[in-house]
Amino acid sequence: MNDLSSRPARSSLTADLVGLIRRKPVAPADLEAAALFTLDAVANSLAGHNSEPGRVLMDWWRARGVSNTAPEPARLAFLMGALCHILETDDLHRESVVHPGCVVVPAAWALAAPRGASGQAFLTAVLHGFEAATRVGMAVGPAHYRIWHNTATCGPFGSAMAGASLLGLSDEAAVHALGNAGSQSAGLWQFLETGAMTKHLHAGHAAEAGVNAAELAAFGFTGPPQILEGEKGFFRAACPDADPAAVLRTPDAPWQLVRTSIKPWPSCRHTHPTIDAAAELRRRLLADGIGLDAIETIEVSTYAAAIDVCDRPVVQSDYEAKFSLQHTAAAALSFPEVDFAAFGAAARQSCASLAARVRIETVDPWASAYPVHWGGKVRLRLANGTELEAERTDAKGDPEAPLGREEMVEKAAMLLRHGGIENPAPLIDAILGLAASPALPDLAFG
């Protein structure tokens, strides 16, 4: 491998980002948080098998004759990343609108496992990867998100940074890795028009791109240091209202991983404030003995990005339902739990009448608070003129309204059982104990 550390670095945002990340101290609590987020991502990957896109991915994986005992890291990162993003229950960082876990954890796992890296080295790489992906994501600006999928475009920076940590790359080599990862940034929202499986490809590619870029950098393969701010770089090409200063802003803030939200419900994160508020209203209706037939209209107040992605009055598949404010509002009012079954064919049919009564609008304070706060309000107008409303400043699972450790473990166990693991406790314990473990537990993707 070539030592790139002797080559003078050209001043760049990427070089400063690498320096910022590597100077941040890692406390035991940070490693514990990274283990919980790793558990969430791994559980999502293994649960993703049990889905139509997951079965297609596994058919593709087996057809390629990939060895399950020693798969090529970049390909394994692709598979784990794609599977992780299928069920819409993976994590989300609000300010960047990036799902870092489905990109960073697969990349780190694919590189760490075959090298026998320690659990602490792996968890440190996860912290580094989350930081890079989300700091770039916070800088892209809202206009980028209207066309580009931030997880796909910003994720490669995170997977490359995690790889740079695990491979022990010099600062200079890490800059080259991020430069080449950023040059592979891609991922458009057009798939929403038909509900195609492309979103899962986005996460897989972002994980794979960073692994390839980091491994190549270890051999001396160079990349553009000014990939972010250059005249022909990422911000100029795809971010009309970029905020480059956000990449390095508040360098002494806690790790961005602990600012990342965990999803309690299997749908687009933009729907979660609506689900939470509507679930409260369901409980109030039940307590007062009021049936759903008494509801004349349902008003959902939210922010523009939620409407851009999730304004879907009529849904014809599980996936479309997960990206529908109308369906999720109706489901939260109809069912005691908004689980996987709440998006199936029977649930869609039973919710259709209620979903047709939903009206959505962009209203302050929710509109101006986004993306720092993802909130909203649901108001019911009943046939007798009564109005009931509930609002959320933040979604359940956000840092301001976090899931407890036991809730996260229960969620992981549910996902792992959904993926066919009848006794998930040993794997859960192994992942939560990574900080003191000499190696990663085995995962089977055969």
Side-chain angles (χ1 to χ4, degrees):
M1 298 186 186
N2 293 339
D3 180 8
L4 299 179
S5 60
S6 61
R7 304 181 187 180
R10 184 179 179 186
S11 175
S12 69
L13 272 177
T14 307
D16 291 342
L17 176 60
V18 169
L20 180 156
I21 291 172
R22 289 184 163 178
R23 287 191 298 270
K24 289 182 75 68
V26 178
D30 299 320
L31 296 175
E32 182 179 355
L36 281 167
F37 277 84
T38 296
L39 174 63
D40 191 74
V42 169
N44 271 285
S45 287
L46 293 173
H49 286 80
N50 188 7
S51 66
E52 182 182 356
R55 286 183 278 275
V56 172
L57 283 163
M58 293 310 302
D59 287 345
W60 164 81
W61 179 256
R62 297 184 188 104
R64 297 180 72 253
V66 179
S67 168
N68 189 53
T69 56
E72 195 272 322
R75 290 280 86 184
L76 178 59
F78 176 90
L79 179 69
M80 288 183 65
L83 289 171
C84 185
H85 204 40
I86 288 175
L87 297 177
E88 291 298 328
T89 50
D90 52 321
D91 59 41
L92 175 75
H93 182 268
R94 292 173 304 178
E95 290 90 340
S96 64
V97 205
V98 169
H99 298 268
C102 65
V103 176
V104 173
V105 172
W109 196 286
L111 286 168
R115 288 171 170 79
S118 71
Q120 183 170 340
F122 166 82
L123 294 174
T124 300
V126 169
L127 286 165
H128 286 195
F130 270 60
E131 196 77 9
T134 56
R135 283 187 169 273
V136 172
M138 288 188 287
V140 298
H144 178 81
Y145 185 67
R146 296 189 187 106
I147 296 174
W148 301 93
H149 182 199
N150 290 15
T151 299
T153 58
C154 307
F157 293 95
S159 54
M161 192 69 215
S165 176
L166 285 164
L167 297 177
L169 299 187
S170 68
D171 289 358
E172 183 75 8
V175 171
H176 289 301
L178 266 67
N180 281 328
S183 197
Q184 299 176 74
S185 293
L188 300 164
W189 281 115
Q190 184 61 32
F191 67 87
L192 285 173
E193 295 294 325
T194 60
M197 298 177 183
T198 311
K199 193 167 189 270
H200 323 316
L201 174 89
H202 286 177
H205 173 260
E208 179 184 34
V211 169
N212 283 331
E215 288 192 321
L216 284 167
F219 282 88
F221 202 85
T222 60
Q226 294 187 317
I227 187 62
L228 291 171
E229 74 276 24
E231 287 297 313
K232 295 178 176 63
F234 179 50
F235 290 155
R236 182 63 61 91
C239 310
D241 55 357
D243 178 17
V247 174
L248 307 175
R249 191 170 291 142
T250 60
D252 297 325
W255 288 96
Q256 293 301 321
L257 180 142
V258 304
R259 293 290 304 159
T260 302
S261 303
I262 291 287
K263 287 183 173 184
W265 298 294
S267 61
C268 178
R269 186 59 169 169
H270 292 307
T271 67
H272 285 199
T274 295
I275 291 173
D276 202 9
E280 177 187 325
L281 294 175
R282 169 185 163 80
R283 293 189 291 270
R284 289 163 61 180
L285 290 173
L286 287 173
D288 293 337
I290 300 173
L292 298 180
D293 288 343
I295 300 174
E296 285 195 338
T297 61
I298 304 164
E299 296 179 1
V300 173
S301 301
T302 185
Y303 46 87
I307 295 175
D308 288 344
V309 177
C310 298
D311 181 8
R312 197 158 281 104
V314 178
V315 294
Q316 298 178 337
S317 68
D318 292 36
Y319 199 69
E320 287 185 3
K322 292 181 178 188
F323 282 83
S324 170
L325 286 164
Q326 292 87 347
H327 175 81
T328 51
L333 288 165
S334 301
F335 307 129
E337 296 291 338
V338 180
D339 53 13
F340 294 122
F343 301 93
R348 296 195 303 272
Q349 182 175 0
S350 67
C351 289
S353 173
L354 199 57
R357 291 172 246 170
V358 176
R359 304 292 180 265
I360 59 177
E361 59 181 353
T362 302
V363 179
D364 275 331
W366 331 115
S368 57
Y370 176 85
V372 176
H373 298 281
W374 292 35
K377 179 170 67 176
V378 178
R379 177 188 288 122
L380 307 182
R381 297 183 186 275
L382 306 184
N384 63 5
T386 301
E387 293 188 1
L388 301 174
E389 65 180 44
E391 62 183 54
R392 296 292 183 269
T393 301
D394 299 287
K396 184 176 181 180
D398 283 348
E400 296 82 3
L403 299 183
R405 179 185 175 90
E406 288 307 310
E407 288 180 296
M408 291 184 67
V409 170
E410 288 172 7
K411 175 193 171 185
M414 178 271 294
L415 286 168
L416 291 170
R417 285 191 292 267
H418 185 74
I421 298 176
E422 295 182 3
N423 179 22
L427 179 57
I428 290 173
D429 291 343
I431 292 175
L432 293 182
L434 277 173
S437 175
L440 276 60
D442 291 332
L443 294 181
F445 285 93

